[in-house]
Amino acid sequence: MARSDDTEIVPAVDRRRKRLDIDGLIVPRLQVNINAARFALQSIDVLAVAGIIALSAWHHYIGANDQAVLAPAAAAIMGAGIFVSLMKFAHAYRFKPTETPGMHLRTVFVAALAALGVWLAAALILRPASFQPDSLARSGLYAVGALMILHALYAVRLKRLHLTGRLAPTVVMLGATESAQRIIEENAKTKELNIVAIFDERLARAPIDIHGVPVVGKIGDLLQWEGLPYVNRIVVTLPSAAAARKKDFVEKVRLLPNRIAYVSDAFENLDHVKQRLSEIAEISLKDVTGNPKSGRHTALKRLSDIILASAALTILAMPMAILALIIRIDSPGPVLFRQPRHGFNNRIFDVLKFRTMRSDRCDLKAERQTEADDPRITRIGRLIRKTSIDELPQLINVIKGEMSLVGPRPHAVGMKTAGRDSMELVEEYAHRHKMKPGMTGWAQINGSRGPLRNGYDVQRRVQLDIEYIERANIIWDIIIMARTIPVLLGDRGTVR
């Protein structure tokens, strides 16, 4: 039956218990995107199955006929497709938090045997000229064994990540309502979300906790909480009947880079006992501030970052070492400059750059942006800033996962524009932190480089950054990287 209001939970009187302090909340700092992990493991399985079948079939086809290359290749492609498809059909890539490694391996074994049967049946029906049933059966059994070994490793590792809370999305809720209670109760069975806290403006009327999830403060406390950058989703649990309060809640958090969602009316009509939490989440929660990128996009972007950044560091290691020596000789001080900057979800990290300013005049807070003929810049610094070579150490930030090769440029914490905090000049400023910052980006190749002189400069960069975030894909990243060097070399007017 649908509810007509946002029924709140009346707390039982217990003067011995105290409300948990917000600083006592534990939030995992190192998190793993479960969708990206699933895509990565599926890709490993495809490569493993295809490789094993190809090698096994090739070994048995040598000298048997003139199909020693084509037959193993065809068997590998068809086999990998059938095995992984049936594994997905059997939900062998869900890795549920409540699933034990033994339960998971049983699922994998049944799915792999079924795939072996389908594969052999398909080969028997097609009966190509190179058909050798013994060879195909042997190759398929090797693939089954490989999948069992791989998934034993996957299951143990992911189970540990689930136990530490690093794999489930970290969630906070706004509103100590019965809708929040229903979600928390179901999550206690499935553990698909890591619900760490509830915030409510009517704190005096709210319970100490709801089924172990503490009610810790008001929305203002959430905005000041140092753990907020590590929250994946903020869920507003007030239904449409509480429209005024719901709008107020959303307005207070909508400019955060964190993903915001609210409980829709469909949730009130669900039989939550019979529904899995993942189904409830998909049906009953609607996003206010946009959907995240797919697991495939996240995994491929991270893989390309690691491969390309590692290759670049390897190739540029000697020139960077020589440049480091020149910097050290040119002026006293460290070779690298570390500056706190905002990253994904407003997380703060130290960006690495070759030092281009005098050590006693470095501006960690970016209170004064770079000017033409800036006296703080060293002789070698003036040269390397013209070509942005000082940014090369950020390849280390990319490999560490703090940055990406392409994304919004990371701005310094507390950076000021025209004497004001830059984030105060544009309402949607924090939305540029919905993605990891990049060494280059859409804004940079469209002329928004270097210092931001006024509110218009900030607004234009934020607009370009948000445009990139909404449209981002791997092909576009490649285009941006390809255009970066010509743009930098052809730009003589920007102060850097």
Side-chain angles (χ1 to χ4, degrees):
M1 181 179 295
R3 301 181 186 277
S4 59
D5 58 20
D6 56 318
T7 308
E8 297 191 63
I9 300 171
V10 179
V13 178
D14 187 350
R15 300 184 182 279
R16 295 171 299 177
R17 299 181 63 197
K18 293 184 178 180
R19 195 175 299 281
L20 179 67
D21 187 88
I22 191 172
D23 293 329
L25 295 176
I26 299 175
V27 181
R29 300 298 175 98
L30 298 175
Q31 300 174 355
V32 178
N33 183 307
I34 181 61
N35 292 323
R38 286 168 177 154
F39 176 79
L41 298 183
Q42 288 174 25
S43 301
I44 292 173
D45 283 356
V46 168
L47 294 175
V49 171
I52 287 172
I53 291 177
L55 286 174
S56 176
W58 176 77
H59 175 74
H60 290 96
Y61 272 79
I62 292 178
N65 51 45
D66 59 353
Q67 302 293 329
V69 175
L70 183 60
I77 294 171
M78 186 172 73
I82 290 175
F83 271 88
V84 174
S85 294
L86 281 182
M87 293 273 288
K88 290 178 67 176
F89 180 78
H91 303 299
Y93 294 105
R94 284 193 57 203
F95 298 103
K96 295 184 294 184
T98 55
E99 184 180 55
T100 65
M103 293 165 59
H104 179 75
L105 288 179
R106 283 195 293 272
T107 300
V108 172
F109 184 66
V110 172
L113 283 184
L116 176 60
V118 171
W119 182 48
L120 293 176
L124 183 62
I125 293 171
L126 295 174
R127 293 190 68 84
S130 59
F131 180 64
Q132 290 188 1
D134 291 347
S135 172
L136 293 179
R138 195 176 291 110
S139 301
L141 287 174
Y142 292 155
V144 172
L147 287 173
M148 292 297 292
I149 294 171
L150 286 173
H151 278 259
L153 299 175
Y154 300 162
V156 171
R157 176 58 179 162
L158 295 185
K159 188 66 176 179
R160 289 175 182 170
L161 292 176
H162 273 304
L163 291 175
T164 57
R166 292 175 56 187
L167 206 56
T170 299
V171 173
V172 297
M173 293 183 166
L174 304 186
T177 64
E178 289 196 11
S179 293
Q181 178 176 332
R182 294 178 70 185
I183 294 176
I184 292 169
E185 286 176 347
E186 193 63 24
N187 188 62
K189 304 172 188 175
T190 65
K191 304 186 187 303
E192 294 193 28
L193 301 176
N194 179 28
I195 305 176
V196 296
I198 303 169
F199 294 81
D200 198 306
E201 292 297 272
R202 302 177 181 179
L203 198 59
R205 298 169 53 181
I208 298 296
D209 64 64
I210 299 178
H211 289 279
V213 177
V215 183
V216 295
K218 298 184 178 182
I219 296 178
D221 300 315
L222 170 66
L223 299 180
Q224 299 298 320
W225 178 38
E226 65 176 14
L228 181 58
Y230 302 93
V231 171
N232 302 113
R233 180 185 262 184
I234 299 172
V235 179
V236 180
T237 63
L238 302 178
S240 299
R245 287 188 65 205
K246 184 175 184 177
K247 181 179 179 181
D248 180 56
F249 276 28
V250 171
E251 280 297 313
K252 288 180 178 178
V253 297
R254 72 178 181 86
L255 296 180
L256 293 173
N258 310 72
R259 199 174 160 208
I260 315 296
Y262 61 88
V263 176
S264 69
D265 292 339
F267 175 72
E268 302 301 331
N269 297 316
L270 289 173
D271 183 349
H272 68 285
V273 176
K274 296 181 180 179
Q275 296 284 344
R276 292 184 298 103
L277 188 67
S278 57
E279 291 174 346
I280 291 177
E282 290 171 6
I283 295 172
S284 67
L285 299 183
K286 292 186 177 179
D287 289 308
V288 176
T289 55
N291 294 319
K293 296 299 179 182
S294 67
R296 179 177 62 180
H297 175 271
T298 304
L300 290 177
K301 188 173 178 66
R302 180 63 181 142
L303 180 63
S304 64
D305 282 345
I306 293 173
I307 292 174
L308 295 177
S310 299
L313 273 178
T314 301
I315 295 170
L316 299 172
M318 185 58 67
M320 289 173 68
I322 295 172
L323 180 57
L325 180 61
I326 295 173
I327 292 172
R328 194 64 182 268
I329 294 172
D330 181 60
S331 64
V335 170
L336 295 179
F337 173 61
R338 292 174 169 83
Q339 185 180 52
R341 297 201 179 186
H342 284 295
F344 174 68
N345 262 13
N346 275 340
R347 298 173 189 175
I348 297 175
F349 71 101
D350 286 336
V351 75
L352 300 176
K353 299 177 68 175
F354 280 123
R355 181 175 57 83
T356 58
M357 291 188 177
R358 306 183 189 282
S359 294
D360 58 344
R361 306 192 69 178
C362 288
D363 185 6
L364 286 176
K365 295 184 179 179
E367 293 183 347
R368 173 186 168 190
Q369 297 197 44
T370 310
E371 303 169 354
D373 300 319
D374 198 315
R376 299 172 297 171
I377 300 176
T378 63
R379 289 174 298 175
I380 187 62
R382 204 171 304 280
L383 175 63
I384 64 178
R385 288 176 77 100
K386 287 181 182 292
T387 53
S388 296
I389 294 176
D390 58 320
E391 310 283 355
L392 288 180
Q394 290 166 32
L395 291 167
I396 299 173
N397 291 117
V398 172
I399 293 174
K400 290 170 64 178
E402 297 165 336
M403 291 180 62
S404 180
L405 291 173
V406 181
R409 284 293 296 158
H411 289 172
V413 176
M415 185 181 78
K416 295 187 182 300
T417 300
R420 292 182 59 188
D421 195 316
S422 300
M423 65 176 56
E424 294 178 357
L425 299 176
V426 180
E427 191 177 48
E428 295 82 9
Y429 184 92
H431 285 186
R432 66 191 304 274
H433 299 142
K434 288 180 179 293
M435 183 176 282
K436 286 182 184 178
M439 292 185 64
T440 184
W442 183 239
Q444 282 62 51
I445 67 171
N446 279 280
S448 183
R449 297 181 299 280
L452 301 171
R453 300 302 181 192
N454 49 52
Y456 172 77
D457 288 349
V458 179
Q459 183 178 20
R460 182 166 183 268
R461 181 169 297 181
V462 170
Q463 180 182 359
L464 289 168
D465 286 338
I466 293 176
E467 181 181 344
Y468 166 76
I469 291 171
E470 292 175 347
R471 296 171 51 194
N473 59 69
I474 299 299
I475 301 300
W476 200 18
D477 282 359
I478 295 173
I479 293 172
I480 291 172
M481 285 188 280
R483 290 180 57 186
T484 294
I485 294 179
V487 166
L488 288 177
L489 294 179
D491 180 11
R492 301 298 181 186
T494 301
V495 177
R496 293 197 289 271

